[in-house]
Amino acid sequence: MTVDDTGSDTGAHPAPDGEPGRTAESVTDASPAGVEAGAEAGPDARSGADERVDVHLDPDSGGDPLALRLEGLILGAERRYTPFQAARSAGVSVELATRFWRAMGFADIGQAKALTEADVLALRRLSGLVEAGLLSEAMAVQVARSTGQTTARLAEWQIDSFLEGLTEPPEPGMTRTEVTYPIIELLLPELEEFLVYVWRRQLAASAGRVIQAADDEEMVDRRLAVGFADLVGFTRLTRRMEEEELGELVEAFETTAADLVAAHGGRLIKTLGDEVLYAADDAGIAAEIALRLIETMANDETMPELRVGIAFGTVTTRMGDVFGTTVNLASRLTSIAPRDAVLVDGAFAEELIRTGDAPASEADAAEAAAAAEKEGEEPPSYRFALQPMWQRPVRGLGVIEPWLLARRDAES
């Protein structure tokens, strides 16, 4: 979204001529007055009005007619602004508008007339937060970047996996393009409502975790258990399996991992095809997730073997991701872990011992049991067992002493 003094079109098709028509459900009027009125009236007022917007196509515009119709349907407005015009209408500098645009993940479009009232309103809202002192300019750019990166992946998944399956031609002779528009028209409002619902739920959960932090510093640099789970021999699999089969395996792995992490109170940070990264506030939760992953994958004959590495310590969180020595150590532990096994670092082992989830040794467990029996009390119940392994140097982290994590009993 940069200014080109020549006014040339670099990367986007010019806007089609014509006034907005009426084809898409539940979107605001494309005029500036309509957008502002809708914004002031609130979501209830907007959803109550059955306004529709279509893009009238110019045969000479050079754009794909269906693509432009879909864009008009999804965005709810026609193309009418160049980047310079959008910035001026929003009351921001072109430089700031360009920073926001790139942060959201969009390519420069020169001076193509490709922006809508929604783009103007978004610029106005972000800059308004900066002017009100609620966000610094750098933080506003971070908001744009984190939102853009997250929703870009979601949109790609929905188009590649979700909509692709739904838009299979229902009858011989029909093309996919003939059914795509009505399908999106029906799904769009429902998916939008669900997206907002999930986002609010996630925001509430994240806010709760921050409020429970021990002090202000812990809100950013927190002590967490970080775990990596890695499929063994994935590179060899990519050479043997068909692309579709490989895609199904990765999706099954990511789905299983995501479900287990969430069910046991952890947070899935990201997936990397053959690897998942998760975090938990409690070492016992992280250990349970790791062992559940190993057990679940071992019971699935279609899945390769798995190895997991976990470390405990201070972690820096940024834009939903985690960074720092603790994360690097967890990654290194994963790379040296035996197949279908979990390796943890010394700090993680100490945390399990401190919380009573594991004994320091089997001798300590036997001693504690004997003492409890002598006093007529219940012996301590440990969920996990820890076995110290040989110390070894790890690139970039010095010498570490990994511990092998296992269940202490036969229960799963």
Side-chain angles (χ1 to χ4, degrees):
M1 185 173 171
T2 57
V3 175
D4 184 345
D5 293 336
T6 64
S8 62
D9 181 345
T10 58
H13 301 297
D17 296 327
E19 296 299 322
R22 295 178 174 271
T23 58
E25 295 283 346
S26 302
V27 293
T28 57
D29 193 312
S31 67
V35 171
E36 291 303 316
E40 293 173 4
D44 292 336
R46 289 199 300 273
S47 60
D50 186 19
E51 295 293 338
R52 305 183 181 191
V53 176
D54 192 10
V55 176
H56 290 266
L57 302 176
D58 181 349
D60 299 323
S61 67
D64 178 83
L66 177 63
L68 291 174
R69 287 186 65 218
L70 284 174
E71 180 186 286
L73 168 66
I74 294 170
L75 297 181
E78 68 175 341
R79 300 178 178 188
R80 59 184 300 173
Y81 295 107
T82 66
F84 176 80
Q85 292 168 338
R88 184 174 59 183
S89 182
V92 303
S93 68
V94 173
E95 290 75 18
L96 182 58
T98 299
R99 288 187 69 195
F100 285 152
W101 183 254
R102 288 175 177 170
M104 287 186 287
F106 300 120
D108 294 344
I109 57 175
Q111 278 308 294
K113 187 179 286 188
L115 304 181
T116 72
E117 283 295 338
D119 298 302
V120 172
L121 185 57
L123 285 175
R124 196 174 295 155
R125 281 175 170 159
L126 270 180
S127 62
L129 292 173
V130 175
E131 291 173 5
L134 295 172
L135 295 178
S136 66
E137 186 174 306
M139 182 61 70
V141 172
Q142 276 196 340
V143 168
R145 179 171 291 111
S146 61
T147 306
Q149 290 178 357
T150 303
T151 53
R153 184 177 181 187
L154 174 63
E156 289 289 342
W157 181 90
Q158 288 175 332
I159 294 298
D160 291 345
S161 303
F162 189 46
L163 291 178
E164 184 177 334
L166 288 177
T167 54
E168 286 290 341
E171 298 178 7
M174 291 189 69
T175 64
R176 186 185 299 276
T177 57
E178 289 175 321
V179 295
T180 297
Y181 189 95
I183 288 293
I184 292 182
E185 188 173 27
L186 289 171
L187 286 175
L188 189 61
E190 302 302 324
L191 291 177
E192 183 177 17
E193 290 291 332
F194 187 71
L195 174 62
V196 173
Y197 155 74
V198 175
W199 170 72
R200 284 181 177 271
R201 268 290 178 188
Q202 293 286 4
L203 194 63
S206 182
R209 288 193 293 269
V210 169
I211 289 173
Q212 292 172 13
D215 51 46
D216 289 344
E217 289 185 4
E218 198 175 326
M219 290 185 181
V220 177
D221 296 323
R222 305 163 58 190
R223 286 179 64 78
L224 297 175
V226 178
F228 277 94
D230 177 57
L231 292 175
V232 179
F234 185 76
T235 303
R236 291 194 301 273
L237 282 177
T238 60
R239 294 194 289 264
R240 296 203 315 260
M241 300 177 72
E242 297 289 336
E243 288 185 4
E244 183 175 351
E245 188 180 8
L246 188 65
E248 291 174 354
L249 183 145
V250 169
E251 184 174 357
F253 169 58
E254 291 184 349
T255 300
T256 301
D259 287 348
L260 285 172
V261 170
H264 292 282
R267 296 188 299 285
L268 186 69
I269 304 299
K270 59 186 173 185
T271 60
L272 304 169
D274 61 332
E275 190 174 59
V276 297
L277 169 62
Y278 71 92
D281 298 308
D282 181 80
I285 289 175
E288 182 65 29
I289 290 170
L291 293 172
R292 291 275 180 177
L293 284 168
I294 295 288
E295 293 157 0
T296 302
M297 296 300 171
N299 290 328
D300 188 341
E301 295 180 354
T302 66
M303 282 290 172
E305 294 163 306
L306 191 70
R307 55 191 176 191
V308 182
I310 316 176
F312 186 84
T314 301
V315 173
T316 298
T317 59
R318 290 288 188 277
M319 294 173 59
D321 208 341
V322 290
F323 307 92
T325 302
T326 303
V327 181
N328 296 337
L329 180 53
S331 177
R332 298 286 191 272
L333 287 167
T334 306
S335 65
I336 63 175
R339 296 166 182 250
D340 284 340
V342 182
L343 278 189
V344 304
D345 74 327
F348 187 89
E350 289 176 6
E351 184 68 10
L352 285 181
I353 294 168
R354 184 188 70 80
T355 57
D357 284 310
S361 66
E362 287 304 312
D364 284 356
E367 184 178 333
E373 184 178 355
K374 184 177 180 180
E375 296 294 330
E377 300 175 352
E378 284 290 323
S381 176
Y382 301 108
R383 291 193 291 163
F384 310 112
L386 292 165
Q387 178 185 343
M389 309 293 284
W390 291 104
Q391 291 185 351
R392 60 181 298 169
V394 173
R395 181 169 53 87
L397 297 171
V399 177
I400 64 170
E401 181 182 2
W403 295 67
L404 187 66
L405 175 74
R407 291 199 185 279
R408 196 165 180 272
D409 52 43
E411 294 179 10
S412 59

